[in-house]
């Protein structure tokens, strides 16, 4: 009887050759990528020089906002610090442009991050306060024309409405904060109630490579209960009639725009709608109530236009770190206290991001090595007793399936093999996989970091472009995803010899399912962060090496076989609770099956 012992030495040589070919291909694409990038950089340098020459002749502070409106009435006033460049429009007295100076957005034409990163621009964001007057009609401040007065990085926007004065005072503070102070005088003569509605319409602009991934991470986020509770909504609508929101944010993959009212938003509701193609990802609408005091609105607000950098978010002490979707409970803790600190430590050594991920994989494998060793040792022991399992299956081929399963379990028990011990490593891998699934596409330090042929480790690599669209794959093939799929397939071939084939008719072939799994993994990884694919390529390549080392240099299968034979001569070990429960369940099922057969025979 032939026994499947995984890969033989010829297969080992094949795997080594495959690895050499893959590494050679990686360096080829890396050099090709470098040549292409040098050409793109030269073109960008020339274009930037032309833009700089043109900008030298333009006014620094006040420019036209919209050519379709008279330039004498609609202007925008510029505020700038190291991190932000803002334009405040006299139409609505609202912030019309927000640029994050230290970051760039993805450019499809050049396939790199070289565009200005604009959260607000070209009227994709409009906001204002909506009041109801004594006649029952409503008016909104975003429809008013304000008069600006600028003093350094503070601008006061003032509008008159039937004798009432409305002032919006914006002050660009340090880093990513904009103080937004609202003052009114004489408003009590116009309005009929003690509330106003803050209405914000926002179209989230595409800024990253990988539209589907960025859309998934674009959603409403908000806190309540004095900043202690956090919630998010990535679906079609949000509705919080009973909570007072401490802040409301629209978060994208790596950046967020957040509005914080001094006294909170009440009766908040919001809608969002997916945009299938074009410049924008999603359309948002938010409506939250603010209270008036004596029919006047005198309240301080703050705008935050931030990168989702964990230390920065935590520094505000407003629960902003929840904007970073690192996973719930244990998963999030694993990212916050293990993967992120480990990445930061290793990257401080000056290594390229890809090699940082490589070392992270090695460290995780070392930590899990005791458990992994037990798993692979169990795998070797199961290969040794495979002939006896096959003998039991043949002997009880026509017997009751329950009886046959009991005999198989008896062989395992006599041999001292605990099948459930092999489940522990698989269970450990699930939270690690999910943590890394959250880590790689949300780690801003990886954004724009290239490695070999991947230009951005937070997005997919698409060196292989297809002339057509394949459902669930798209119009490209990711080399990292293909490489990861191949090593998972090799690992599956090496470990599938221990899988017992089902003897009952109609039961699926487990080996076939095991081979299908790596193929389906390709569909998942092809549009995911290339850093995730690279991590799992390294991880599974290490798994293969561990199996080969254990098989050829550590475990002596003859010795294991002798140990098993000795165990069989001893008194069988006392059943564990799980084994006892399984045996009792099978015996009960067997009795029920016999009873059903007897009742069926009586009816005949």
């Amino acid at each position: 009887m032939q026994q499947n012992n995984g890969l033989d030495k010829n297969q080992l040589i094949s795997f080594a050759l495959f690895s050499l070919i893959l590494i050679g291909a990686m360096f080829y694409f890396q050099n090709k990528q470098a040549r292409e990038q040098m050409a793109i950089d030269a073109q960008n340098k020339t274009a930037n020089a032309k833009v700089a020459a043109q900008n030298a002749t333009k006014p620094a502070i006040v420019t036209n906002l919209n050519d379709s409106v008279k330039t004498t009435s609609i202007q925008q006033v510029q505020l700038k610090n190291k991190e932000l460049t803002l334009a405040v429009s006299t139409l609505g007295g609202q912030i019309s442009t927000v640029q994050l100076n230290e970051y760039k957005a993805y450019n499809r034409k050049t396939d790199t991050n070289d565009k200005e990163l604009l959260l607000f621009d070209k009227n994709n964001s409009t906001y204002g306060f909506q009041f109801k007057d004594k006649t029952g009609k409503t008016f909104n401040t975003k429809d008013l024309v304000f008069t600006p007065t600028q003093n350094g990085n503070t601008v006061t926007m003032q509008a008159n409405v039937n004798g009432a004065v409305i002032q919006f005072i914006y002050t660009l503070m340090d880093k990513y904060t904009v103080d937004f102070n609202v003052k009114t005088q004489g408003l009590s003569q116009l309005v009929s109630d003690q509330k106003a509605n803050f209405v914000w319409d926002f179209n989230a602009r595409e800024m990253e490579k990988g539209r589907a991934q960025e859309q998934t991470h674009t959603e409403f986020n908000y806190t309540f209960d004095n900043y202690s509770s956090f919630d998010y909504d990535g679906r079609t609508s949000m509705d919080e009639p009973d909570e007072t929101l401490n802040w409301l944010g629209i978060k994208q993959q790596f950046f967020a725009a957040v509005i914080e009212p001094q006294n909170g938003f009440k009766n908040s509701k919001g809608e969002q709608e997916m945009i299938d193609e074009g410049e924008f990802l999603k359309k948002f609408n938010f409506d939250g109530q603010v209270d008036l005091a004596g029919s006047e609105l005198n309240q301080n607000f703050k705008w935050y236009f931030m990168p989702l950098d964990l230390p920065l978010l935590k520094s505000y002490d407003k629960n902003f770190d929840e904007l970073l979707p690192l996973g719930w409970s244990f998963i999030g803790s694993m990212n916050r206290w293990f993967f992120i600190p480990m990445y930061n430590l290793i990257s401080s050594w000056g290594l390229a991001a890809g090699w940082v991920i490589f070392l992270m994989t090695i460290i995780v494998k070392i930590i899990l090595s005791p458990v992994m060793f037990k798993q692979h040792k169990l795998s070797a022991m199961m290969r040794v007793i495979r002939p006896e399992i096959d003998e039991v299956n043949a002997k009880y081929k026509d017997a009751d399936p329950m009886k046959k399963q009991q005999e198989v379990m008896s062989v395992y028990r006599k041999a001292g093999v605990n099948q459930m011990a092999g489940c522990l490593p698989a269970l450990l891998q699930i939270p690690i996989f999910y943590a890394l699934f959250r880590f790689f596409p949300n780690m801003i330090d990886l954004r724009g970091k290239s490695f070999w042929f991947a230009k951005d480790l937070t997005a997919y690599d698409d060196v292989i472009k297809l002339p057509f669209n394949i459902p669930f794959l798209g119009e490209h093939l990711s080399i990292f995803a293909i490489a990861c799929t191949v090593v998972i397939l090799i690992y599956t071939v090496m470990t599938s010899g221990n899988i017992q084939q089902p003897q009952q008719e109609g039961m699926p072939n487990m080996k076939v399912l095991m081979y299908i799994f790596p193929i389906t993994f390709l569909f998942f990884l092809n549009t995911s962060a290339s850093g995730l694919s690279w991590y799992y390529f390294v991880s599974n390549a290490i798994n293969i090496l561990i199996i080969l080392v254990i098989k050829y240099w550590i475990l002596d299968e003859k010795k294991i076989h002798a140990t098993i034979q000795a165990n069989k001569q001893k008194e069988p070990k006392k059943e564990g609770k799980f084994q006892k429960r399984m045996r009792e369940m099978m015996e009960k099922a067997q009795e029920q099956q016999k009873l059903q057969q007897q009742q069926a025979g009586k009816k005949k």
Side-chain angles (χ1 to χ4, degrees):
M1 182 179 296
Q2 191 171 1
Q3 188 175 332
N4 189 341
N5 292 321
L7 295 183
D8 58 22
K9 293 183 179 179
N10 291 331
Q11 290 171 313
L12 174 60
I13 294 171
S14 300
F15 172 70
L17 289 174
F18 168 76
S19 299
L20 290 173
I21 293 170
L22 184 62
I23 291 171
M26 288 177 175
F27 280 107
Y28 169 78
F29 282 113
Q30 181 186 22
N31 293 332
K32 180 181 177 183
Q33 183 66 43
R35 291 193 298 270
E36 292 176 349
Q37 188 61 44
M38 287 175 64
I40 291 171
D41 289 344
Q43 293 175 359
N44 289 340
K45 186 175 180 181
T46 303
N48 290 338
K50 291 180 180 179
V51 171
Q54 293 171 356
N55 288 342
T57 63
K58 292 182 179 179
I61 302 298
V62 180
T63 57
N64 294 333
L65 173 67
N66 192 329
D67 292 337
S68 65
V69 183
K70 290 183 179 180
T71 58
T72 56
S73 60
I74 306 301
Q75 299 172 329
Q76 57 179 355
V77 181
Q78 188 182 87
L79 305 175
K80 186 175 182 179
N81 64 11
K82 180 184 175 184
E83 290 80 15
L84 295 176
T85 298
L86 307 179
V88 184
S89 172
T90 56
L91 178 60
Q94 57 191 316
I95 299 173
S96 57
T97 301
V98 176
Q99 178 182 344
L100 277 75
N101 301 328
E102 297 177 318
Y103 295 90
K104 295 292 183 180
Y106 177 69
N107 187 345
R108 287 183 178 274
K109 293 180 181 179
T110 60
D111 194 27
T112 189
N113 294 345
D114 60 9
K115 290 171 61 177
E116 292 181 339
L117 199 150
L118 298 165
L119 288 180
F120 291 4
D121 191 46
K122 298 179 181 177
N123 299 320
N124 73 311
S125 173
T126 61
Y127 62 87
F129 296 92
Q130 186 171 285
F131 304 92
K132 183 181 289 186
D133 66 18
K134 294 185 184 297
T135 66
K137 296 180 180 179
T138 60
F139 66 93
N140 196 313
T141 60
K142 65 182 178 181
D143 300 322
L144 305 177
V145 177
F146 288 70
T147 301
T149 303
Q150 185 173 10
N151 181 14
N153 261 359
T154 296
V155 59
T156 300
M157 291 284 178
Q158 181 169 310
N160 297 313
V161 187
N162 295 332
V165 176
I166 299 175
Q167 284 187 338
F168 291 167
I169 305 170
Y170 294 95
T171 301
L172 178 55
M173 304 173 74
D174 290 339
K175 293 188 176 179
Y176 303 98
T177 306
V178 183
D179 190 72
F180 174 32
N181 196 6
V182 181
K183 295 182 178 181
T184 68
Q185 186 176 356
L187 191 64
S188 59
Q189 303 299 318
L190 301 179
V191 300
S192 57
D193 53 21
Q194 295 296 312
K195 65 181 179 64
N197 287 73
F198 177 79
V199 179
W200 181 19
D201 297 313
F202 180 69
N203 289 342
R205 178 177 282 107
E206 183 179 26
M207 292 186 290
E208 312 298 334
K209 183 176 183 177
R211 184 182 183 89
Q213 181 173 252
E214 190 178 7
Q215 276 183 324
T216 301
H217 290 89
T218 301
E219 60 196 8
F220 280 120
N221 285 240
Y222 49 94
T223 59
F224 48 95
D225 292 338
N226 195 26
Y227 300 93
S228 63
S229 298
F230 171 84
D231 206 349
Y232 66 94
D233 200 305
R235 300 182 298 276
T236 57
S237 63
M238 63 163 284
D239 191 14
E240 293 290 350
D242 302 321
E243 304 292 350
T244 298
L245 306 191
N246 301 120
W247 54 255
L248 180 280
I250 296 177
K251 180 196 77 70
Q252 295 184 232
Q253 188 173 352
F254 291 109
F255 304 95
V258 178
I259 178 74
E260 178 191 19
Q262 178 183 347
N263 298 323
F265 290 127
K266 298 178 181 178
N267 296 320
S268 299
K269 56 186 177 182
E271 299 287 337
Q272 56 186 304
E273 179 183 342
M274 198 82 73
I275 300 174
D276 293 331
E277 58 184 16
E279 182 181 2
F280 299 105
L281 301 167
K282 275 186 178 182
K283 182 186 296 184
F284 291 87
N285 171 264
F286 173 75
D287 188 326
Q289 179 184 314
V290 293
D291 292 333
L292 304 183
S295 297
E296 299 288 348
L297 177 57
N298 292 296
Q299 189 176 152
N300 187 256
F301 298 78
K302 280 185 173 62
W303 278 104
Y304 302 89
F305 304 105
M306 305 177 292
L308 299 184
D309 176 69
L310 187 59
L312 171 71
L313 298 175
K314 293 177 72 173
S315 69
Y316 290 101
D317 196 25
K318 294 179 184 292
N319 216 8
F320 284 154
D321 51 308
E322 292 287 356
L323 288 164
L324 199 58
L326 296 175
W328 52 271
S329 187
F330 176 70
I331 303 297
S333 298
M334 192 184 303
N335 274 322
R336 289 169 187 268
W337 303 110
F338 181 67
F339 284 114
I340 291 178
M342 179 167 58
Y343 176 87
N344 290 335
L345 174 64
I346 300 174
S347 62
S348 68
W349 302 343
L351 298 175
W355 294 118
V356 173
I357 295 171
F358 179 86
L359 291 179
M360 286 175 63
T361 315
I362 299 290
I363 292 170
V364 172
K365 285 297 178 185
I366 290 173
I367 293 173
L368 294 178
S369 58
V371 179
M372 297 299 294
F373 179 80
K374 287 183 179 180
Q375 181 193 27
H376 295 310
K377 182 179 178 181
L378 173 66
S379 178
M381 294 179 73
M382 291 181 71
R383 283 198 303 269
V384 172
I385 65 172
R386 181 80 258 169
E388 296 186 36
I389 298 296
D390 292 338
E391 184 179 338
V392 169
N393 286 330
K395 182 177 179 181
Y396 294 92
K397 181 179 180 180
D398 299 323
D400 180 52
M402 292 294 179
K403 174 66 176 174
K404 182 173 64 176
Q405 187 63 30
Q406 286 178 344
E407 292 299 324
V408 169
M409 291 183 67
S410 176
V411 172
Y412 284 130
R413 191 166 57 252
K414 289 177 181 178
V417 175
N418 182 5
Q419 285 180 287
M420 296 306 297
C423 297
L424 180 59
L427 293 175
L428 286 175
Q429 291 293 326
I430 293 173
I432 291 174
F433 174 82
Y434 191 72
L436 292 171
F437 174 71
R438 288 289 191 174
F439 173 84
F440 285 108
N442 293 295
M443 186 68 174
I444 197 167
D445 289 346
L446 283 170
R447 182 180 185 267
K449 297 291 179 66
S450 61
F451 184 65
W452 287 343
F453 36 77
K455 294 182 180 180
D456 187 342
L457 286 167
T458 64
Y460 56 81
D461 68 270
D462 57 352
V463 177
I464 303 175
K465 291 182 170 60
L466 302 175
F468 46 82
N469 182 71
I470 299 177
F472 305 108
L473 275 179
E475 298 178 345
H476 73 277
L477 288 175
S478 166
I479 296 179
F480 270 130
I482 294 172
C484 184
T485 301
V486 170
V487 294
I488 293 175
L489 192 59
I490 293 173
Y491 177 76
T492 303
V493 171
M494 295 176 68
T495 57
S496 63
N498 303 319
I499 299 174
Q500 183 181 350
Q501 296 305 306
Q503 303 298 318
Q504 296 87 356
E505 292 184 6
M507 293 292 287
N509 189 320
M510 293 305 296
K511 278 192 176 181
V512 173
L513 293 178
M514 289 289 288
Y515 294 146
I516 290 175
F517 173 73
I519 306 302
T520 58
F521 218 62
L522 173 63
F523 288 83
F524 169 75
L525 291 174
N526 197 56
T527 54
S528 298
S530 53
L532 181 66
S533 300
W534 168 238
Y535 177 95
Y536 275 99
F537 169 80
V538 176
S539 178
N540 283 281
I542 292 173
N543 282 342
I544 292 171
L545 293 176
I546 290 173
I547 290 175
L548 294 175
V549 168
I550 288 175
K551 178 180 179 181
Y552 291 111
W553 285 283
I554 295 180
L555 290 182
D556 185 343
E557 292 194 5
K558 291 182 179 179
K559 195 180 218 181
I560 293 174
H561 186 73
T563 302
I564 289 174
Q565 295 303 319
N567 287 340
K568 289 168 64 177
Q569 302 303 319
K570 297 177 184 177
E571 221 31 65
K573 289 185 179 180
K574 187 179 179 181
E575 286 182 318
K577 289 183 180 179
F578 178 80
Q579 290 175 321
K580 183 179 179 181
R581 190 175 300 174
M582 287 293 294
R583 179 179 58 77
E584 289 174 349
M585 287 174 61
M586 285 191 293
E587 288 175 353
K588 188 175 181 180
Q590 191 172 5
E591 290 175 3
Q592 289 178 345
Q593 189 176 17
K594 286 181 180 179
L595 184 61
Q596 289 174 355
Q597 290 174 350
Q598 289 173 0
Q599 290 176 346
K602 289 179 180 179
K603 288 180 180 179
K604 290 180 181 180

